[in-house]
């Protein structure tokens, strides 16, 4: 994979948590909010703090995502988690001009290796209409061209509409209502890629909203989602914005769908929660 373009250095603060309708006796939680060091990005600093104060334990889950787990054993009506990180990112990677053919991607060893990323999940299952569409795109293009055709189609047909869906919305529902957020657009893209025979994974992370952002200016950002597909090697694309993944994107985790990488989840003993707060601030410092 060839990386082009200069990189950025970005500071990230992700603050989230729950409010409850009364005292919670105890809670057990997992946070997936820490970026990963890998080929396209380097984590210079990362820490997660919790209130009420609790001892944290970090590990990598099955998909390679860093998890901060903790339990709170004192009564509390608010749970707050703050993840701070400084990350150096790289520009977008160029697609190979000599990518493999569909026949080469049917090698049994590769199919077995990526089997979990070829199967549908409840959020990425397709109906007959979408299955036929995937077949049509595969017949008209080579693997990498077909992937780009999927992203182009989804971006044309599905309007980015904040609040239009929930975290349990599936790909078929998104296609039919023609509206969704980045998670939905990524789920639909992943579903079509898998149906064509391309291993695909859902990526969770952060996106700086401003191309060519000025240095030192904090901006309100967002948790974001995009897609990676495998055709001899992994490639990344942001179908919501119609751009290759580059210096504005920071990877946190990967999985089959959103259910493998929620920023914060847990169980607790007490009254119902009355809401979740989310605040992401990004600052380009280089």
């Amino acid at each position: 994979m060839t990386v082009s373009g200069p990189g950025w250095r970005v500071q990230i603060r992700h603050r989230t948590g729950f409010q409850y309708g009364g005292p919670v006796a105890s809670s057990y939680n997992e946070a997936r909010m820490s970026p990963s060091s890998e080929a396209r990005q380097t984590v210079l600093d990362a820490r997660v703090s919790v209130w009420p104060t609790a001892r944290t334990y970090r590990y990598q889950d099955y998909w390679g995502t860093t998890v901060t787990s903790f339990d709170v054993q004192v009564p509390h009506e608010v749970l707050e988690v703050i993840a701070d990180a400084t990350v150096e990112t790289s520009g977008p990677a160029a697609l190979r001009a000599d990518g493999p053919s569909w026949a080469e991607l049917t090698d049994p060893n590769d199919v077995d290796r990526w089997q979990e990323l070829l199967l549908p999940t409840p959020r990425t299952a397709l109906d007959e209409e979408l299955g036929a569409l995937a077949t049509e795109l595969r017949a008209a293009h080579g693997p990498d061209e077909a992937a780009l055709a999927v992203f182009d189609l989804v971006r044309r047909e599905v309007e980015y509409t904040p609040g239009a869906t929930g975290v349990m919305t599936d790909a078929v529902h998104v296609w039919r209502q023609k509206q969704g957020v980045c998670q939905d657009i990524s789920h639909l893209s992943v579903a079509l890629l898998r149906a064509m025979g391309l291993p695909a994974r859902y990526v969770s992370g952060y996106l700086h909203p401003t191309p060519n952002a000025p240095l030192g200016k904090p901006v309100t950002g967002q948790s974001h989602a995009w897609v990676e597909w495998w055709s001899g090697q992994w490639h990344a694309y942001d179908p919501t914005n119609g751009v290759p993944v580059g210096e504005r994107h920071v990877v946190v985790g990967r999985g089959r769908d959103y259910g493998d990488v929620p920023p914060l989840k847990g169980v607790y003993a007490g009254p119902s929660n009355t809401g979740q707060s989310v605040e992401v601030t990004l600052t380009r410092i280089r």
Side-chain angles (χ1 to χ4, degrees):
M1 180 180 291
T2 302
V3 176
S4 61
W8 285 14
R9 182 175 292 179
V10 183
Q11 288 180 335
I12 305 157
R13 166 160 282 202
H14 183 176
R15 183 194 302 264
T16 188
F18 297 105
Q19 298 82 42
Y20 303 101
V24 167
S26 60
S27 64
Y28 302 82
N29 309 275
E30 293 180 351
R32 288 170 171 79
M33 298 161 60
S34 298
S36 59
S37 283
E38 51 192 66
R40 202 193 58 79
Q41 66 183 35
T42 301
V43 178
L44 303 180
D45 176 65
R47 57 193 180 277
V48 175
S49 57
V50 178
W51 191 91
T53 302
R55 179 175 294 180
T56 61
Y57 172 67
R58 299 185 73 180
Y59 66 94
Q60 285 194 326
D61 68 13
Y62 176 80
W63 303 104
T65 302
T66 298
V67 181
T68 302
S69 65
F70 59 95
D71 59 277
V72 180
Q73 299 297 331
V74 298
H76 55 286
E77 296 186 25
V78 175
L79 176 69
E80 183 176 71
V81 181
I82 300 175
D84 290 293
T86 303
V87 184
E88 288 188 344
T89 61
S90 300
L95 276 175
R96 292 165 48 193
D98 59 342
S101 66
W102 288 114
E104 291 172 305
L105 292 179
T106 60
D107 182 287
N109 291 326
D110 289 334
V111 173
D112 181 66
R113 179 185 182 188
W114 304 118
Q115 183 66 17
E116 289 174 294
L117 297 173
L118 285 164
L119 296 174
T121 66
R123 290 184 177 91
T124 62
L126 299 183
D127 62 5
E128 186 175 336
E129 176 192 355
L130 283 167
L133 185 56
T135 300
E136 180 183 321
L137 289 172
R138 175 185 167 119
H141 304 281
D144 291 328
E145 293 78 11
L148 296 177
V150 163
F151 305 139
D152 183 60
L153 171 70
V154 171
R155 191 159 188 263
R156 288 198 319 267
E157 295 293 329
V158 179
E159 182 180 0
Y160 176 78
T161 309
T165 55
V167 295
M168 297 303 295
T169 304
D170 61 54
V172 172
H173 181 79
V174 173
W175 177 254
R176 289 176 179 170
Q177 76 170 20
K178 305 297 184 186
Q179 290 181 321
V181 295
C182 59
Q183 290 88 350
D184 305 308
I185 291 168
S186 296
H187 282 148
L188 178 56
S189 298
V190 163
L192 289 165
L193 292 171
R194 290 176 182 164
M196 291 192 301
L198 286 172
R201 55 194 183 190
Y202 177 99
V203 187
S204 175
Y206 304 107
L207 172 70
H208 195 296
T210 310
N212 302 314
L215 300 182
K217 181 180 180 181
V219 299
T220 299
Q222 58 185 323
S223 293
H224 195 53
W226 57 93
V227 173
E228 293 177 348
W229 79 96
W230 190 85
S231 58
Q233 63 184 38
W234 285 103
H235 307 284
Y237 197 86
D238 180 348
T240 301
N241 292 291
V243 296
V245 170
E247 63 279 349
R248 294 193 293 139
H249 296 80
V250 177
V251 175
V252 170
R254 299 176 173 89
R256 294 163 297 179
D257 62 25
Y258 174 86
D260 289 330
V261 287
L264 179 63
K265 70 175 183 179
V267 296
Y268 65 93
S272 299
N273 76 73
T274 59
Q276 182 176 11
S277 59
V278 179
E279 177 183 302
V280 178
T281 304
L282 298 129
T283 307
R284 181 187 178 190
I285 59 175
R286 194 186 72 181

